[in-house]
Amino acid sequence: MAVKARAHRLLLALGLGCAFLAPTSRDRDRLVARATQEAEVVQPTSFSVTVGSFSGSQPEGKVAVITGASAGIGLSTVEGLARSGIYGTIVMAGRDSAKHQEAMESLREKLSALARPVELRFLELDLASLASVRSFEAEFRQLKKPLHTLLLNAGVMALPERQQTADGYEYQFGVNHLGHFLLCNLLLDALHNSGGSSDPSRVIVLSSSAHQFPSKLLKGDLTDLQSFEYAPWTAYGQSKLANLMFAYELDRRLRERGLRVVANAVHPGVVNTELFRHAGGKASGFLNQLTKPVLPYVMKSPADGAKTSVLLATEDLGKLSGRYWQDGRPTASVDFDPASNLPAPAQALLPFPKLTSYDPAVWGELWEESELLVGLRSEDVRCL
């Protein structure tokens, strides 16, 4: 199947076809979308501030890129990296330049006593636009900096109505998985070149225990990745499962090729952030106001939610690879399997008789499908 998929992509790239590999209408739509995105020119905005108490010294240390860093877990992760004394430059990638500037100024005030200066740099990135992802990669390379850590932190959750990205994909799957999938592949050579045998570069993927929510992907079925049968939490869970499977498959490919990069997935916990603004569906506004006073008592703070990401980015434990992490330690990405203790006749009646995140065949299929959806070319990935 993998060989056939590769041959299919080659034929599509050459504009060829044959009886058993003829491009489908979906393939043609993808090619049109790819050509359109490559024709677009997106000029990212970039600015930086330096935090810490220093007298003219230049920031020195590792370089990290983090998505979704203007608030919540992402902003707390930036603070943790800056306080570690390991990072000299932290690139905060996101859409809203004003919001990021405000966040950076708040960190400059909060971290004014840091002994070592740290550069916080904003680069524009809209994960809902594959053209923006490619523009971000080009802009990052113009900085002429190494890349030691890539934190794929941004996300959206449980949008009440089905929405689409600029490229026509279901919004949660497109932002949470596809945008990050493309970004990581485009920057993989920078990560490899910056890593060492004793201190590899690190890819940290924010997943969620919501990956266990019943979905077709959880059964190994890739036919509804775009959630045309839309249910907010099902689509969210499926996107988080895609994050997890991406981390597992990335680890497998990195090991296979001997690259100096490790990859891990993280469940940060149930954290009190903006991510929950749609959690109540169409009644979200009312429910948010109703529950806001009690959330700090029943949810983690953003600082607590960021702890595992910071640990993986700064400690020796982060040199491990291919794990699913929660509360500072690796754990099993155990899926809820309602059929496990039932007799076979009863199992056959269940809508989800087998659920697993540990199927390498599905990891590979999802990877190849993601390559097609984002228009990833062999020349884009200089390591795999």
Side-chain angles (χ1 to χ4, degrees):
M1 181 174 181
V3 173
K4 182 176 178 180
R6 293 191 188 98
H8 196 176
R9 287 199 298 276
L10 178 60
L11 289 170
L12 288 173
L14 295 174
L16 302 175
C18 60
F20 67 99
L21 287 177
T24 65
S25 59
R26 184 173 66 165
D27 290 324
R28 285 191 290 272
D29 290 342
R30 288 171 179 162
L31 288 175
V32 171
R34 184 193 305 181
T36 301
Q37 77 189 43
E38 290 172 0
E40 293 180 17
V41 177
V42 180
Q43 297 295 336
T45 301
S46 177
F47 53 83
S48 67
V49 302
T50 302
V51 301
S53 59
F54 57 96
S55 54
S57 58
Q58 293 298 312
E60 296 180 354
K62 289 186 174 183
V63 177
V65 168
I66 177 170
T67 65
S70 64
I73 295 172
L75 185 58
S76 291
T77 301
V78 172
E79 181 179 346
L81 299 185
R83 290 186 182 279
S84 72
I86 296 172
Y87 289 86
T89 300
I90 303 169
V91 177
M92 302 166 68
R95 293 181 301 170
D96 191 330
S97 59
K99 191 172 181 180
H100 278 80
Q101 189 160 25
E102 182 180 342
M104 290 159 69
E105 290 297 336
S106 71
L107 285 178
R108 177 153 60 179
E109 181 177 344
K110 194 173 185 179
L111 302 175
S112 60
L114 279 184
R116 294 181 57 179
V118 178
E119 178 194 16
L120 304 180
R121 176 170 290 276
F122 170 75
L123 282 183
E124 188 174 341
L125 170 66
D126 182 358
L127 289 164
S129 164
L130 298 176
S132 176
V133 175
R134 290 184 177 275
S135 294
F136 174 89
E137 181 240 353
E139 191 78 0
F140 176 78
R141 291 189 187 276
Q142 289 182 17
L143 299 178
K144 306 296 183 183
K145 290 182 179 290
L147 177 58
H148 302 93
T149 303
L150 177 61
L151 294 115
L152 305 178
N153 170 82
V156 291
M157 184 176 76
L159 301 180
E161 304 287 346
R162 187 181 185 278
Q163 299 180 34
Q164 294 189 160
T165 66
D167 305 281
Y169 301 130
E170 191 276 317
Y171 201 84
Q172 295 185 82
F173 185 75
V175 170
N176 296 352
H177 171 61
L178 290 178
H180 282 138
F181 175 86
L182 178 59
L183 178 65
C184 182
N185 274 283
L186 294 177
L187 294 175
L188 203 53
D189 66 307
L191 287 159
H192 170 64
N193 292 334
S194 304
S197 56
S198 62
D199 188 14
S201 294
R202 308 173 189 203
V203 177
I204 301 165
V205 185
L206 267 287
S207 181
S208 169
S209 62
H211 79 270
Q212 301 174 63
F213 291 175
S215 67
K216 287 189 175 181
L217 181 58
L218 199 57
K219 296 190 294 178
D221 182 349
L222 277 67
T223 60
D224 195 29
L225 295 177
Q226 301 309 318
S227 298
F228 291 111
E229 302 172 11
Y230 188 73
W233 287 104
T234 298
Y236 176 68
Q238 184 162 258
S239 74
K240 293 289 100 179
L241 178 58
N243 288 151
L244 177 59
M245 289 183 168
F246 166 58
Y248 284 160
E249 177 65 5
L250 177 61
D251 165 69
R252 188 192 68 77
R253 291 174 180 241
L254 294 170
R255 291 175 186 270
E256 185 178 83
R257 291 155 179 81
L259 300 187
R260 298 186 295 272
V261 186
V262 297
N264 288 286
V266 172
H267 168 49
V270 182
V271 184
N272 185 15
T273 71
E274 293 178 354
L275 197 64
F276 277 87
R277 63 188 179 275
H278 299 300
K282 294 180 179 179
S284 292
F286 169 74
L287 289 176
N288 287 344
Q289 292 301 315
L290 186 66
T291 60
K292 189 174 182 179
V294 301
L295 291 183
Y297 300 99
V298 297
M299 291 182 171
K300 285 184 176 181
S301 68
D304 285 338
K307 283 182 178 178
T308 301
S309 292
V310 173
L311 179 149
L312 291 176
T314 59
E315 302 290 343
D316 284 346
L317 275 176
K319 297 176 185 178
L320 297 174
S321 190
R323 269 74 163 185
Y324 174 68
W325 293 75
Q326 181 176 354
D327 294 329
R329 60 183 182 273
T331 186
S333 56
V334 177
D335 304 307
F336 172 64
D337 187 349
S340 58
N341 296 314
L342 294 177
Q347 291 182 26
L349 299 176
L350 291 171
F352 298 99
K354 182 173 177 57
L355 309 177
T356 181
S357 60
Y358 287 117
D359 189 339
V362 180
W363 305 347
E365 289 179 27
L366 177 63
W367 185 286
E368 292 185 351
E369 182 69 8
S370 300
E371 285 182 334
L372 282 171
L373 292 174
V374 303
L376 195 66
R377 305 159 300 194
S378 58
E379 60 266 30
D380 290 330
V381 188
R382 308 172 198 185
C383 290
L384 291 183

